[in-house]
Amino acid sequence: MSNKFFIEKALKSKFYQQKLVNVNLEDWSNIPFTTKSDLRNVDTYDVLGTNRQDIATYHETSGTTGTPTPSWFSYNDIQQEADVLLRSDLKLNENDLILNRFPFAVALPAFILYWAAEKAHAGHIGVDQWSQATPLKRVVEIINRTSPTILALGPTEAVKLYQTGKQMGQQFPVQGLRALILGGELVSPARKKYIEKLWGVPVYLLFGSTETGGLFVTCQAGHYHLNHPQVKIEAVDDNGHPVRNNTIGNCVISSGREGMPLLRYYNNDRIEIREAKMCSCGDDNPIVVHYGRQDDAITINNRVISLYEIQEAVYALSLVPFMWNLRYEHESIVFILQYLNTINCGPIQKELSDLLGMDVSIELQDIIPIETLTEKPAFGKYSYVKKFEDAELVTH
């Protein structure tokens, strides 16, 4: 799409009418970035780019890193959201049954899966990970009863669900399962490969956010191709100037979505745009590599280490931990690792240090108590009538 298309879409919202009032729209580079702060401080209806009667759904970010940002989707938009999956190499079809573990709250991914399933006439099972009615143990049981062909969930949830299944005697690969769809977190190539090894099926990654909607799904070779018909991606340096291909920069997104158009949205992610160069999937559109949020990067001795690099190191270990996180303090990194078996820390610490090219420390902790994975549902319907049939009859 041309730059004019994105500008015209943006000007349908009150927010952009005000933001661009004195801007020379003939010069794309002169158009100011839209920031997260802009979206957090705007009136919810000012970012609306269509009539209210055309709106299908409203979503907003979780608010874990600040005030939630609004996100509107028209009826036409939700068809576009479904098409992000339907045009991908996943080849979702009427023979599929999706088990959807993404949370059905105000978050977006669960709805994208549901819309795509409806449009493809695929079956759908909602097992919201935030619902007390569907803990991990019950999800494994539902998998055994229904034999879904696709699991859709977050990467961390995929590892927890696998381990829960192992504890319950589940056989892997799961019968009939053909793919996982992961979203909501960064997944580097090494992490993707690790989860594929656990489950024994290909993993497809969904790239996007609540503000932007779903943007891309990885191809069969594991790449995000810039093939969305109504999205423009730019990579810029810290001064806002475009960087050359094959250079890491800051992600800037323009979207022609009806419900909430975005013009040069600076989302604080780090990306690299590469030429496809005969990708084995056959898509010759450029490739975007996602390195994670700027806020997740660590700077030590003037060296910036992205979450992508950290994941590549952790998931390349000879013994990958069940769960992990890290603590960054005083120019040093301490990895908190949880293993389910007794290990020797020395070799793991050396491996991590070598892989990252710097000294790191290790602490072993139980991040998630393993016994909680198979807990029973904590939720039940409210009972208005209680019968005590075995109670002793008292007479006077």
Side-chain angles (χ1 to χ4, degrees):
M1 291 291 182
S2 66
N3 291 342
K4 183 180 179 182
F5 166 81
F6 295 106
I7 294 169
E8 289 178 347
K9 286 286 187 178
L11 288 173
K12 292 183 181 295
S13 80
K14 183 177 178 180
F15 167 69
Y16 280 113
Q17 290 167 10
Q18 295 173 341
K19 185 177 178 68
L20 303 176
V21 66
N22 293 315
V23 175
N24 176 13
L25 300 179
E26 298 298 321
D27 182 0
W28 180 263
S29 64
N30 192 49
I31 296 174
F33 296 128
T34 301
T35 65
K36 286 183 179 288
S37 179
D38 287 336
L39 298 182
R40 286 170 179 163
N41 295 321
V42 74
D43 181 276
T44 302
Y45 279 95
D46 283 355
V47 292
L48 191 61
T50 190
N51 297 323
R52 289 180 62 168
Q53 61 265 35
D54 295 328
I55 289 300
T57 62
Y58 170 80
H59 304 269
E60 59 183 38
T61 57
S62 63
T64 54
T65 59
T67 304
T69 62
S71 192
W72 298 97
F73 290 80
S74 73
Y75 284 98
N76 288 330
D77 292 334
I78 66 175
Q79 298 301 317
Q80 287 284 341
E81 292 297 308
D83 287 342
V84 170
L85 275 173
L86 296 183
R87 65 171 168 261
S88 74
D89 287 348
L90 177 68
K91 300 189 185 308
L92 183 66
N93 61 78
E94 68 274 8
N95 296 314
D96 281 315
L97 177 62
I98 299 176
L99 187 135
N100 188 353
R101 184 66 171 156
F102 288 116
F104 276 93
V106 291
L108 183 63
F111 290 87
I112 295 176
L113 268 295
Y114 182 71
W115 297 329
E118 279 200 319
K119 194 167 184 179
H121 288 189
H124 179 274
I125 306 170
V127 287
D128 187 329
Q129 76 177 72
W130 290 351
S131 171
Q132 293 180 335
T134 49
L136 290 161
K137 179 177 185 293
R138 186 170 185 186
V139 176
V140 173
E141 293 169 348
I142 292 173
I143 288 173
N144 279 318
R145 285 193 285 268
T146 62
S147 299
T149 60
I150 296 172
L151 301 185
L153 68 177
T156 300
E157 196 72 6
V159 174
K160 289 164 59 181
L161 185 60
Y162 169 83
Q163 189 55 47
T164 303
K166 292 287 285 187
Q167 287 186 256
M168 295 172 63
Q170 172 69 50
Q171 296 297 310
F172 292 91
V174 174
Q175 183 176 2
L177 187 68
R178 72 174 184 89
L180 267 61
I181 302 172
L182 304 183
E185 300 174 27
L186 178 71
V187 180
S188 74
R191 190 182 191 190
K192 176 177 178 287
K193 184 178 179 180
Y194 170 71
I195 295 174
E196 288 178 328
K197 185 177 179 181
L198 290 182
W199 284 90
V201 296
V203 163
Y204 292 86
L205 306 176
L206 175 62
F207 178 53
S209 67
T210 301
E211 308 97 296
T212 65
L215 301 177
F216 313 105
V217 175
T218 49
C219 68
Q220 59 190 9
H223 298 136
Y224 294 117
H225 287 274
L226 302 185
N227 55 14
H228 194 300
Q230 295 190 14
V231 169
K232 176 185 176 73
I233 302 291
E234 302 172 77
V236 302
D237 62 23
D238 291 342
N239 295 316
H241 301 130
V243 301
R244 295 180 178 179
N245 283 355
N246 308 312
T247 304
I248 297 176
N250 302 295
C251 183
V252 177
I253 301 170
S254 297
S255 167
R257 198 171 91 226
E258 283 184 350
M260 194 179 89
L262 289 172
L263 194 60
R264 308 201 79 198
Y265 175 49
Y266 190 106
N267 72 346
N268 292 320
D269 282 2
R270 301 283 285 174
I271 63 166
E272 177 184 350
I273 298 176
R274 300 175 180 172
E275 294 180 5
K277 291 186 177 178
M278 301 296 291
C279 179
S280 60
C281 77
D283 190 336
D284 60 0
N285 284 292
I287 291 166
V288 62
V289 181
H290 185 213
Y291 289 98
R293 294 177 178 175
Q294 291 181 359
D295 294 344
D296 291 328
I298 294 172
T299 303
I300 296 181
N301 296 325
N302 296 320
R303 176 189 168 192
V304 177
I305 306 172
S306 68
L307 181 57
Y308 181 101
E309 294 174 87
I310 294 167
Q311 285 192 7
E312 285 293 275
V314 170
Y315 293 101
L317 290 171
S318 56
L319 291 173
V320 176
F322 164 54
M323 288 289 146
W324 66 275
N325 55 48
L326 63 82
R327 186 172 66 246
Y328 170 56
E329 54 186 18
H330 309 304
E331 292 280 311
S332 65
I333 299 177
V334 180
F335 279 88
I336 316 299
L337 308 179
Q338 179 180 4
Y339 285 93
L340 303 182
N341 300 305
T342 303
I343 66 151
N344 184 348
C345 285
I348 299 297
Q349 181 173 343
K350 184 178 186 306
E351 268 191 273
L352 265 178
S353 297
D354 290 345
L355 287 164
L356 286 170
M358 59 177 297
D359 290 334
V360 301
S361 301
I362 284 179
E363 293 180 7
L364 299 181
Q365 289 184 18
D366 281 347
I367 297 171
I368 298 177
I370 196 68
E371 64 274 8
T372 65
L373 296 180
T374 53
E375 287 181 345
K376 294 181 179 179
F379 172 79
K381 291 183 179 179
Y382 184 81
S383 175
Y384 285 90
V385 178
K386 296 183 180 180
K387 295 183 178 180
F388 297 90
E389 296 176 353
D390 297 328
E392 182 178 352
L393 181 62
V394 179
T395 60
H396 297 282

